[in-house]
Amino acid sequence: MTRRVALMMMTSLVAAAPVMAQNAPVAPAAMRAAPAERRAETHHAGTFAGQALRYTAVVEDNIVPAADGTPGASIVTTAYLREGVKDVRRRPVLFAFNGGPGAGSAMLNTKALGPMIRAEEPAGAAPTMAGASTAPLVANADSVLDAVDLVFVDPVGTGVSRALPGVDAKQYYNADADVRSVQQAIAHWLKVHRREASPRYVMGESYGTVRAGLLMRDRAALRFDGVMLVALVGRTPGPDLPFITALPTMAAGRWFHRPDTRDGKSVRQVYDEAVAFAQTDYASALIRGGSMAAGEREAMARRVAAMIGVDPALVLANALRVPKNVWMFNLLKDRGLRTGLLDVRVTAPLPADQEGDGALDDPALAVVPTGAKKDGKPFNPADVGPVPNPVFGAHLTHDLKFPTQDIYYAVNFSANAAWKHDPTIDAVRPVADAMRADPKLRLFWTAGVYDLTTPAYEARYGLDQAGIPAERLTAEIFDGPHGVYEGVANRAKFAAAVRGFVALR
């Protein structure tokens, strides 16, 4: 996984103090002891999917070990549990987390699944970081709490999950240690709440799909009945596949920004046509490469250009392979604009130097002003630091009564900057292996047609190549961005899809 891809997978986004103990001296193992675990329980009522019910919210520490085996960190979980259930052994429970790496779970919680959500921003409002938004929390009639208990997991360095005093948090900032700590926290939660026999599901979004996929490697330690991947991080090896799999999303972006080219077609029709073209004529042209006659190459450039909305000369200049950055900076160049990456519908003024890389300067991410530089260089994660979410933080301490003085980090860019990436990781393969070993294990996958960070076709290609059994795959493509549940209609559709998947057991 490249650093650029990791940066582009932030899902909620303001600098603040560094993570507790991140730079503190490391204490000798013999001096460290497990702290008393904090726990807050409150009771609430709500109406979800038309059902009036009461539920319990439980926010608590789950202490996980450091590399030396001693108590190392607290992973804080926020759970919402339906009351009045006769047999909790039959009641499903869903563990959910976001991505980053370095993102807390507040986005999935307060934008999609939880009983309280962010109020909708006014139509046409500019994108804001989830942490910077002052929109209050309101009741979420689409919450899936009627069908499944919800446990939101904040990995170390996110939310209010922290390394313990004297422990270096950086030891958790790699895929293996991160997965191990989350696995231990979930197992601890199941044991404490006596839910080991309950049907269980895990949902990861963006980089969280990597975490969810890797959790499938050790099913003896932690078993799930279903895996749910939102905005899957796919792998497209080779010189041509990245361009083939990104083309349908570029076509969707052209459809959105240039309505005069729609010819009465919906965005899904355009997307599907682009997938068919990418799989056939376009893939064949890239394979043929220099053996194509000049006339054929020019004709193909015109077809590609018409599909994705750029000049044929630009397609030819890039050997028929238009990089994401080139497309983002040229689709709306005549208007002096660039597109976003997490959401290609979002625009920002075209920077004079056009050196942005679509990561931190992505206008859909709303982290730093487009083209902003520090000492003449693009921003990097360390320049941003942790991003607090004061609205959810207040909800956690005031409404849910969790006793902490720590700031709730929606996204910790310091953790992201320190993350040790492994570019060889393929999150889909462990899922496919687990499905072959367990004929009852099922997979849920969603993607947005306007997401150029983790393009829908890129993810679908990875699922198809891994050999995921089609009869156990639930797939939903949304007319939305990286956060597929963005917007009232998408949120309702997303919730319905989750309910349907859980009901299949």
Side-chain angles (χ1 to χ4, degrees):
M1 179 111 18
T2 66
R3 171 59 51 84
R4 179 185 170 201
V5 169
L7 286 175
M8 295 188 296
M9 292 189 297
M10 294 300 174
T11 55
S12 55
L13 298 175
V14 217
V19 175
M20 183 181 73
Q22 184 165 289
N23 300 310
V26 177
M31 297 174 60
R32 298 204 296 270
E37 294 188 352
R38 300 165 295 178
R39 186 178 191 275
E41 180 176 314
T42 54
H43 300 274
H44 311 265
T47 300
F48 313 115
Q51 291 190 44
L53 59 86
R54 298 195 63 82
Y55 65 95
T56 300
V58 181
V59 186
E60 60 197 322
D61 287 316
N62 299 267
I63 303 301
V64 297
D68 59 15
T70 62
S74 165
I75 289 182
V76 177
T77 52
T78 303
Y80 305 99
L81 312 173
R82 181 170 181 169
E83 296 178 359
V85 176
K86 293 182 179 179
D87 186 0
V88 295
R89 293 174 300 177
R90 299 176 62 116
R91 170 76 172 169
V93 56
L94 169 61
F95 296 89
F97 38 72
N98 279 90
S105 64
M107 191 60 126
L108 276 171
N109 188 344
T110 64
K111 295 287 284 185
L113 299 174
M116 302 294 290
I117 56 169
R118 291 270 186 173
E120 289 292 318
E121 299 285 355
T128 60
M129 296 181 294
S133 172
T134 59
L137 296 179
V138 297
N140 179 15
D142 294 315
S143 174
V144 296
L145 190 53
D146 58 297
V148 58
D149 287 339
L150 300 168
V151 184
F152 295 95
V153 182
D154 290 327
V156 178
T158 74
V160 292
S161 299
R162 301 288 191 268
L164 300 180
V167 178
D168 187 355
K170 291 180 181 178
Q171 66 184 279
Y172 297 99
Y173 296 164
N174 63 78
D176 288 337
D178 170 74
V179 167
R180 186 165 53 250
S181 65
V182 169
Q183 179 189 63
Q184 291 162 336
I186 293 175
H188 177 262
W189 190 96
L190 287 166
K191 181 177 181 180
V192 167
H193 290 267
R194 300 180 180 179
R195 299 294 295 271
E196 293 99 326
S198 296
R200 63 191 71 162
Y201 300 83
V202 63
M203 175 184 288
E205 179 177 6
S206 198
Y207 180 82
T209 63
V210 176
R211 183 182 294 121
L214 295 183
L215 278 172
M216 297 300 107
R217 295 182 304 187
D218 189 359
R219 287 178 53 78
L222 188 61
R223 176 191 58 78
F224 291 99
D225 297 275
V227 187
M228 310 180 81
L229 306 178
V230 181
L232 171 63
V233 178
R235 293 185 73 240
T236 48
D240 296 331
L241 278 175
F243 303 98
I244 293 171
T245 57
L247 185 137
T249 301
M250 294 178 183
R254 185 269 303 165
W255 178 93
F256 180 82
H257 289 290
R258 298 195 179 280
D260 57 307
T261 66
R262 293 177 182 175
D263 295 328
K265 297 176 182 177
S266 70
V267 67
R268 284 303 304 276
Q269 287 175 314
V270 167
Y271 174 86
D272 290 342
E273 288 177 0
V275 168
F277 170 68
Q279 290 174 334
T280 55
D281 293 356
Y282 184 54
S284 176
L286 297 190
I287 291 170
R288 292 177 63 191
S291 68
M292 292 181 70
E296 287 182 288
R297 188 161 51 251
E298 291 170 1
M300 179 56 62
R302 287 192 295 271
R303 291 181 67 187
V304 172
M307 185 160 287
I308 66 175
V310 297
D311 192 300
L314 184 68
V315 179
L316 278 175
N318 285 276
L320 305 180
R321 300 165 176 84
V322 181
K324 294 178 181 180
N325 278 7
V326 171
W327 181 83
M328 288 190 297
F329 285 94
N330 282 275
L331 177 67
L332 303 175
K333 189 174 182 179
D334 58 330
R335 306 179 197 174
L337 299 172
R338 60 155 293 181
T339 77
L341 190 68
L342 292 163
D343 186 347
V344 299
R345 297 171 299 179
V346 177
T347 62
L350 186 68
D353 55 18
Q354 297 186 33
E355 291 180 358
D357 65 0
L360 284 177
D361 68 340
D362 180 358
L365 193 62
V367 176
V368 295
T370 300
K373 300 288 178 62
K374 181 179 180 181
D375 300 327
K377 299 179 180 179
F379 272 74
N380 61 56
D383 296 323
V384 180
V387 178
N389 185 331
V391 172
F392 187 75
H395 175 65
L396 203 68
T397 56
H398 182 267
D399 302 326
L400 304 186
K401 309 301 182 185
F402 187 62
T404 182
Q405 299 297 316
D406 291 321
I407 296 171
Y408 187 94
Y409 292 153
V411 180
N412 184 356
F413 280 99
S414 296
N416 183 273
W419 201 270
K420 293 183 179 179
H421 295 277
D422 181 352
T424 66
I425 288 177
D426 181 352
V428 176
R429 291 291 175 182
V431 177
D433 292 343
M435 293 181 77
R436 281 188 284 270
D438 181 355
K440 294 183 179 180
L441 180 64
R442 294 178 291 107
L443 174 63
F444 172 95
W445 164 68
T446 68
V449 294
Y450 297 117
D451 175 15
L452 194 54
T453 303
T454 55
Y457 183 41
E458 176 183 82
R460 185 65 205 233
Y461 172 86
L463 294 172
D464 291 342
Q465 297 305 309
I468 299 294
E471 69 276 10
R472 285 186 277 148
L473 171 65
T474 297
E476 292 276 359
I477 296 180
F478 287 70
D479 293 352
H482 190 69
V484 300
Y485 41 76
E486 292 285 345
V488 175
N490 280 339
R491 183 170 64 244
K493 179 181 176 181
F494 182 72
V498 172
R499 283 193 189 89
F501 182 73
V502 172
L504 287 173
R505 68 181 190 281

